[in-house]
Amino acid sequence: MQTNFQAKYRVLNKIGEGTFSEVLKCQNRESGQLVAAKRLRKSFNSVSEARDLPEIVAMKKVSDHPNILHLIETHYEHELSRVTLIFELMDMSIYDMMKTHRRNIPEVKVKNYLYQILKGINHLHVNGLFHRDIKPENILIKGDLIKIADLGSVCGSFRHRPFTEYISTRWYRSPECLLTCGYYDSKMDIWSVGCVFFELLTLKPLFPGSNELDQISRIHLILGTPSQVLLNKFRKHKSQNIDVIFPQRSGTGLNCLLPNVSDSGRDILKNMLTYDPRIRSSAARLLDNRYFNDLRDADNIRRKMSSNSSMHSERSNPVLLSFMATEKRRRPKPSSGMVSKHTVQKKEKLNFKIEKLPKINLDHNLNLARDIRASKQGLIKKQPKTDSLFRGNYEKRSPSESSKSNNLFKHSSNVSTDKFQNRHTTQKPSFLPTISAVKKSGNKPQKNSLENLTNIVKKKPLLQRLNLETIEEEKQSKKSTASDTRSYMSWRN
């Protein structure tokens, strides 16, 4: 906090005044910058007392936002025991702007103003503060830019209630502020913003009450009397100013007062002017309303462009580039004999990963694929070499078992060869004699011979079982060709 206000600034004229302060237009003697100086009427005994001002504490707590008036610096004058706050200079308040308009402001402009007001209010609410004195005089404008000013009545959202009872300007005071003795919260700001929104659309105040009782009766005249449950809840913390039983009435509504406003504009006004503060929409929820779809899209595009431009400025900044280059040169490079620990650890990790990977021999896999393909093709074309082995193992058995199984083989081979000629290629060849074939021949299968035959089949490989029928067919064909040649030679002789 500085103490040289008179030496640093020159007062040009008075902009406005209020109950607790006056606003001056000043100019910096060195730079020539124009600023707004808010001089408080209250006297302060010390600098520490001045630092505890709610407005100064709030401005230090809240980060800069484009829709909240920026505090440049503060000055304390020991001789006069007063504090002066230096803010950026705006053109006027929206109250002064509305006085200059003879016709209604277009809804497109009003929507833009409302969107910026809600963004500023939401920034305060997110930081645990609420304004408590939203009105047209405390909303400043410069071109199309809106900024919320005068945080002298600001309050913390996490404080214990009750708050100060007499707060906010009467026309913009919410029902819970009028009917209770300080039991309100941040939703009171939303009610005030709704009243300001109506006033920007019509250039007339919505609830211009002459006192607290007249104010609440005007609210009931338009919105209707709330339910008895809600009124009883307010009466638990009733205000000393109002202790009246309100007659039940249905209000006229807001639609008849806004004939030229869009439906979405009326809906968002109803959400802000809901009687019950628990049902009333928050600032964040109002910003997501469909009424602001085009403005949200424009904000997103602007944000992307600003991020891209900032990245480009960083890349093209010669000071930053030279600094980065010098930092690279300052980094010590490891010598040929010295190796840093990080590089050793990286190499060890890399070698460990490589050792874990399986080694693949492509030539071996290709040879295996060719062998499998050739074996599949040779199953039909070539006679398997396992025939002699199977015959030798089969002859080692006892003569009685071999004779029985030979008879059974002959019968089953004849049946299977007939089936083999007529079956489709998709069916698998059957080796064991089927029950249907035994029934057709009229012979009952012998138990011992069948068990011995299945034991033999289990001991042999799969290729022998699959190609046994083809072997028997070739034997029969050889026998038939040999008998044909004998008969032909005998006939010739």
Side-chain angles (χ1 to χ4, degrees):
M1 187 172 285
Q2 301 182 22
T3 58
N4 55 347
F5 173 75
Q6 296 292 340
K8 191 173 183 179
Y9 293 100
R10 180 172 62 251
V11 178
L12 300 179
N13 59 337
K14 183 186 288 188
I15 300 174
E17 60 180 344
T19 307
F20 304 105
S21 63
E22 61 177 355
V23 182
L24 308 172
K25 184 179 180 180
C26 303
Q27 186 179 22
N28 192 316
R29 296 180 185 275
E30 295 180 1
S31 62
Q33 180 188 7
L34 296 174
V35 295
K38 181 180 179 180
R39 181 177 289 169
L40 303 180
R41 299 186 187 277
K42 181 183 176 180
S43 59
F44 296 88
N45 298 324
S46 62
V47 178
S48 60
E49 185 182 353
R51 285 173 181 166
D52 294 336
L53 271 170
E55 190 167 5
I56 296 175
V57 173
M59 294 306 297
K60 288 180 179 179
K61 182 179 180 181
V62 177
S63 58
D64 292 341
H65 191 271
N67 300 118
I68 294 177
L69 192 66
H70 176 59
L71 175 64
I72 299 174
E73 59 188 16
T74 56
H75 289 266
Y76 177 73
E77 300 175 64
H78 289 279
E79 297 174 358
L80 302 173
S81 300
R82 65 185 180 187
V83 175
T84 306
L85 310 178
I86 308 299
F87 293 95
E88 56 180 323
L89 183 65
M90 304 291 284
D91 292 343
M92 63 184 82
S93 66
I94 61 171
Y95 173 75
D96 298 328
M97 181 197 68
M98 285 189 291
K99 287 194 300 184
T100 59
H101 277 77
R102 295 182 179 180
R103 296 181 180 180
N104 291 347
I105 305 171
E107 187 183 354
V108 179
K109 271 194 171 185
V110 176
K111 180 172 73 172
N112 185 22
Y113 297 157
L114 176 63
Y115 184 65
Q116 295 183 65
I117 293 169
L118 287 173
K119 285 201 296 183
I121 293 294
N122 184 52
H123 186 68
L124 290 175
H125 291 180
V126 167
N127 285 275
L129 302 171
F130 58 105
H131 193 279
R132 298 202 302 176
D133 196 16
I134 295 292
K135 58 184 179 180
E137 290 87 345
N138 290 337
I139 301 172
L140 307 181
I141 185 170
K142 186 176 184 180
D144 287 333
L145 180 63
I146 295 289
K147 296 203 176 192
I148 297 171
D150 194 4
L151 301 183
S153 302
V154 73
C155 182
S157 303
F158 305 105
R159 277 180 54 188
H160 295 289
R161 294 184 293 181
F163 299 116
T164 308
E165 183 177 354
Y166 184 79
I167 199 69
S168 179
T169 307
R170 185 187 310 115
W171 291 1
Y172 310 95
R173 201 175 297 170
S174 62
E176 61 267 23
C177 291
L178 293 167
L179 296 175
T180 65
C181 55
Y183 284 84
Y184 52 82
D185 56 10
S186 60
K187 294 291 184 70
M188 67 171 293
D189 287 345
I190 305 300
W191 178 276
S192 303
V193 172
C195 297
V196 172
F197 179 46
F198 180 88
E199 194 166 347
L200 283 168
L201 289 170
T202 60
L203 301 180
K204 296 177 182 178
L206 180 57
F207 306 118
S210 56
N211 51 50
E212 282 80 4
L213 186 59
D214 183 44
Q215 184 72 25
I216 199 70
S217 63
R218 284 177 180 271
I219 292 172
H220 291 175
L221 182 65
I222 295 175
L223 300 181
T225 309
S227 64
Q228 197 63 35
V229 177
L230 184 59
L231 287 175
N232 291 336
K233 184 181 177 181
F234 286 154
R235 284 196 182 97
K236 290 180 181 179
H237 312 287
K238 64 181 179 180
S239 174
Q240 297 177 359
N241 300 325
I242 299 175
D243 188 10
V244 183
I245 298 173
F246 301 103
Q248 288 292 327
R249 65 171 70 177
S250 58
T252 59
L254 294 167
N255 292 341
C256 61
L257 302 175
L258 300 169
N260 300 322
V261 179
S262 62
D263 294 336
S264 56
R266 294 175 188 170
D267 291 340
I268 199 168
L269 180 61
K270 290 177 183 177
N271 293 335
M272 288 188 284
L273 297 178
T274 303
Y275 205 101
D276 191 351
R278 296 175 301 173
I279 306 173
R280 197 179 304 152
S281 296
S282 63
R285 189 172 181 180
L286 290 169
L287 288 170
D288 290 334
N289 194 287
R290 59 188 176 90
Y291 189 54
F292 301 119
N293 284 343
D294 53 342
L295 296 174
R296 278 199 309 273
D297 295 340
D299 269 358
N300 293 333
I301 293 170
R302 197 179 301 113
R303 199 177 295 111
K304 289 179 181 178
M305 291 177 66
S306 63
S307 62
N308 293 335
S309 63
S310 63
M311 288 173 64
H312 178 70
S313 63
E314 286 178 1
R315 290 173 185 171
S316 60
N317 190 355
V319 179
L320 181 63
L321 291 174
S322 63
F323 175 74
M324 291 170 66
T326 52
E327 285 294 319
K328 284 183 180 179
R329 284 193 226 102
R330 286 175 184 175
R331 289 176 187 172
K333 294 181 181 180
S335 60
S336 58
M338 299 287 290
V339 183
S340 63
K341 295 181 180 179
H342 300 287
T343 54
V344 172
Q345 290 177 359
K346 286 181 180 179
K347 286 182 180 180
E348 287 179 355
K349 288 180 180 179
L350 186 62
N351 293 331
F352 180 70
K353 289 180 180 179
I354 291 170
E355 286 174 1
K356 276 192 170 183
L357 292 173
K359 295 181 180 180
I360 300 170
N361 192 349
L362 296 177
D363 296 335
H364 180 65
N365 290 341
L366 290 172
N367 293 331
L368 282 176
R370 290 195 196 97
D371 293 342
I372 291 166
R373 200 179 298 114
S375 63
K376 286 181 179 179
Q377 294 175 359
L379 287 177
I380 301 171
K381 294 181 180 180
K382 295 181 181 180
Q383 182 180 353
K385 297 179 181 180
T386 57
D387 186 18
S388 60
L389 295 171
F390 178 79
R391 196 182 296 114
N393 293 331
Y394 187 72
E395 288 173 353
K396 290 178 183 179
R397 300 177 64 193
S398 62
S400 61
E401 292 179 357
S402 61
S403 61
K404 290 177 183 179
S405 59
N406 283 331
N407 295 329
L408 189 59
F409 259 116
K410 288 177 182 179
H411 177 73
S412 61
S413 62
N414 292 331
V415 176
S416 60
T417 48
D418 295 336
K419 288 186 177 182
F420 184 78
Q421 292 175 0
N422 298 323
R423 73 166 184 264
H424 298 287
T425 56
T426 57
Q427 297 178 353
K428 293 182 179 180
S430 61
F431 170 72
L432 294 173
T434 58
I435 297 171
S436 60
V438 174
K439 285 181 180 179
K440 285 179 183 179
S441 63
N443 298 326
K444 293 183 179 180
Q446 296 179 7
K447 185 177 180 180
N448 295 330
S449 62
L450 282 173
E451 289 178 355
N452 295 329
L453 186 59
T454 52
N455 291 331
I456 293 166
V457 171
K458 287 180 181 177
K459 293 179 181 178
K460 299 304 168 184
L462 181 62
L463 290 174
Q464 291 177 358
R465 280 183 267 163
L466 292 175
N467 294 284
L468 188 58
E469 290 185 3
T470 56
I471 295 165
E472 294 295 330
E473 287 175 9
E474 289 178 1
K475 287 179 181 179
Q476 292 292 336
S477 62
K478 286 180 180 180
K479 288 178 181 178
S480 60
T481 51
S483 60
D484 291 340
T485 51
R486 285 195 214 98
S487 60
Y488 176 75
M489 292 299 290
S490 62
W491 173 78
R492 189 173 182 183
N493 294 328

